[in-house]
């Protein structure tokens, strides 16, 4: 319809409203496509590249641990060989009722114990560790979860980039599949890789900051103490990264450093972990997207706008569900009215979404998931529908430790 002949009839007004809704989906799918496209052409340094830190640089590794006696030894075995005599390895045994503290000490770690059942969560434990370090602060502090493996060279790579930039640094954090993975495991591992490797790589290519993803985080001391970390938020890492960005310390991605953990094998544990991650993302998105946009207008820093757009990209399954529902509505509207704009925008959003998934799979996901499994994603999405209904009915707000496999 030519602009000169446009009139605000009820039908045209409805078409504009639906087009605006389609644009709200097109923006995050467009952002996702741009990130995956930029990552597709990444030709960076390989993981594990040799880095030698200056002798005068001191670092500390903080590992919060709540009842991690069965698995923390493996984590400490991957960290200790990467530390020098002047570095510190500190385990915060947080509200533990098992032998976490004793096991950590047996591996040579300094252990500080914290007991506070009212303030529970990783954020409070890390704050306790930072308070312990204040008497003799290191130049760089690294946060690592107690169920993760730090791959060789990762500690030095994180420290070097944190010192060079003066900003928080996020390692590549990926999930290892079980020995006999099912469809859910393969799709989860692929989605995790898109979120924690492909998209941050794309942002790095575009010279933009990234989100903090939970473990393998290095910070110069000034950044580590710039904002309060004491929080029981269910995705305290994501919130911390956004608080730091607003305070002038936007997190940067370090693809040379790799940290891996293991997908929980039990159905209940997997559901609990996924619920915490995705409900937390939605909560942080609703709080911080407006806040980041406002701070972008006030401070004029492009990185804040980039983080707002990055945060607007919904979890992959939810984004596919939302787009599919939108497409059905737009197709019905076009079939009844003959107006094409809403359907065209929805189709463009779908093109961005599936091209992004295709690019990510072609370059980074073929080792995680076969093409046959990839086309079965709709079955995985059906499994997650109750998770999103749960967010509407009763959003998860409590920090809950994911049960580990023993």
């Amino acid at each position: 319809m030519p602009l000169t002949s446009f009139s605000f009839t009820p039908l045209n007004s409805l078409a504009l409203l639906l087009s605006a809704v389609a644009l709200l989906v097109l923006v995050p799918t467009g952002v996702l496509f741009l990130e995956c496209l930029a990552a597709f052409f990444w030709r960076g340094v390989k993981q594990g590249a040799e880095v030698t830190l200056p002798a005068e640089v001191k670092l500390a590794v903080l590992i919060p641990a709540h009842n991690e006696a069965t698995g923390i030894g493996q984590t400490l075995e991957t960290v200790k060989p990467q530390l020098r005599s002047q570095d510190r390895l500190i385990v915060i045994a947080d509200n533990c009722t098992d032998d976490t503290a004793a096991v950590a000490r047996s591996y040579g770690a300094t252990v500080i114990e914290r007991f506070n059942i009212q303030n529970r969560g990783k954020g409070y434990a890390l704050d306790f560790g930072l308070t312990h370090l204040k008497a003799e602060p290191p130049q760089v502090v690294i946060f690592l979860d107690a169920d993760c493996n730090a791959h060789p060279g990762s500690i030095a790579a994180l420290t070097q980039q944190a010192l060079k930039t003066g900003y928080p640094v996020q390692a590549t954090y990926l999930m290892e599949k079980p020995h006999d993975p099912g469809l859910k495991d393969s799709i989860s591992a692929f989605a995790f890789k898109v979120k924690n490797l492909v998209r941050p790589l794309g942002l790095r290519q575009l010279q933009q900051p990234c989100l903090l993803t939970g473990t393998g985080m290095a910070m110069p001391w000034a950044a580590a103490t710039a904002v309060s970390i004491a929080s029981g938020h269910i995705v305290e890492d994501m919130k911390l990264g956004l608080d730091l960005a607003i305070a002038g310390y936007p997190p940067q991605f370090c693809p040379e450093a790799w940290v891996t953990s293991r997908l929980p094998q039990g159905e209940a544990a997997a559901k609990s972990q996924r619920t915490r991650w995705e409900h937390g993302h939605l909560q942080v998105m609703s709080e911080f997207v407006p806040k980041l946009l406002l701070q972008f207008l006030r401070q004029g820093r492009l990185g804040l706008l980039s983080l707002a757009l990055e945060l607007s990209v919904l979890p992959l399954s939810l984004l596919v569900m939302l787009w599919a529902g939108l497409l059905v509505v737009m197709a019905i509207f076009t079939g009844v009215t003959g107006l094409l704009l809403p359907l065209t925008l929805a189709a463009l959003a779908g093109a961005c979404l599936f091209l992004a998934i295709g690019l990510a799979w072609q370059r980074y996901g073929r080792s995680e998931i076969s093409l046959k499994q990839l086309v079965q994603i709709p079955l995985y999405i059906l499994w997650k529908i109750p998770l999103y209904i749960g967010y509407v009915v009763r959003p998860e707000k409590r920090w809950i430790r994911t049960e580990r496999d023993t």
Side-chain angles (χ1 to χ4, degrees), residues 85-107:
S85 59
Q86 65 266 45
D87 301 328
R88 282 174 282 177
L89 175 59
I90 299 173
V91 171
I92 305 108
D94 188 54
N95 289 304
C96 291
T97 57
D98 67 356
D99 295 328
T100 295
V103 172
R105 289 191 182 101
S106 74
Y107 280 87

Side-chain angles (χ1 to χ4, degrees), residues 150-360:
H151 291 234
S154 296
I155 299 296
L158 286 169
T159 302
Q160 182 187 62
Q161 186 167 328
L163 289 170
K164 182 179 178 181
T165 63
Y167 292 142
V169 179
Q170 174 62 57
T172 304
Y173 170 37
L174 299 179
M175 284 287 179
E176 297 174 352
K177 292 183 291 186
H179 294 299
D180 186 22
L183 176 64
K184 291 179 184 176
D185 297 319
S186 296
I187 295 176
S188 291
F190 172 63
F192 208 81
K193 181 174 277 191
V194 172
K195 178 178 179 292
N196 285 4
L197 173 61
V198 180
R199 289 167 58 187
L201 266 182
L203 289 168
R204 181 180 168 108
Q205 284 278 74
L206 298 168
Q207 300 182 355
Q208 298 302 313
C210 66
L211 299 174
L212 294 181
T213 56
T215 185
M217 303 176 290
M219 300 187 192
W221 183 253
T225 56
V227 300
S228 174
I229 196 173
S231 167
H233 199 285
I234 57 176
V235 284
E236 73 294 317
D237 45 277
M238 185 182 293
K239 178 181 181 300
L240 173 62
L242 297 170
D243 285 335
L244 285 167
I246 291 172
Y249 296 96
Q252 311 294 309
F253 186 54
C254 180
E256 295 80 20
W258 283 58
V259 174
T260 56
S261 187
R262 298 164 292 282
L263 284 169
Q265 290 183 284
E267 182 77 15
K271 182 179 179 181
S272 174
Q273 185 182 70
R274 183 58 61 181
T275 299
R276 178 170 62 85
W277 285 343
E278 300 202 11
H279 284 202
H281 184 143
L282 294 173
Q283 291 168 25
V284 169
M285 183 181 73
S286 63
E287 176 185 355
F288 273 90
V289 168
K291 188 180 294 187
L292 288 165
L293 292 174
L294 178 61
Q295 290 298 322
F296 164 66
L297 295 174
R298 287 179 175 174
Q299 299 184 34
R301 291 194 286 121
L302 181 60
L304 295 174
L305 176 61
S306 297
L307 285 173
L309 293 172
E310 164 70 350
L311 195 58
S312 73
V313 180
L314 296 167
L316 204 53
S317 297
L318 181 57
L319 192 57
V320 173
M321 289 169 54
L322 184 63
W323 170 80
L326 179 74
L327 186 68
V328 170
V329 171
M330 301 311 182
I332 293 173
F333 178 80
T334 296
V336 171
T337 67
L339 298 176
L340 285 171
L341 182 58
L343 181 61
T344 301
L345 293 173
L348 184 57
C352 289
L353 176 58
F354 291 106
L355 281 172
I357 294 173
L359 287 169

Side-chain angles (χ1 to χ4, degrees), residues 379-399:
L379 297 177
Y380 175 76
I381 292 174
L382 291 175
W383 172 73
K384 295 183 73 173
I385 288 176
L387 184 153
Y388 299 121
I389 294 175
Y391 177 76
V392 176
V393 176
R394 184 185 293 179
E396 182 62 68
K397 295 183 179 180
R398 299 170 299 143
W399 178 86

Side-chain angles (χ1 to χ4, degrees), residues 3-19:
L3 185 61
T4 53
S5 62
F6 183 85
S7 59
F8 283 96
T9 64
L11 186 60
N12 287 337
S13 297
L14 179 58
L16 285 177
L17 178 62
L18 291 177
S19 298

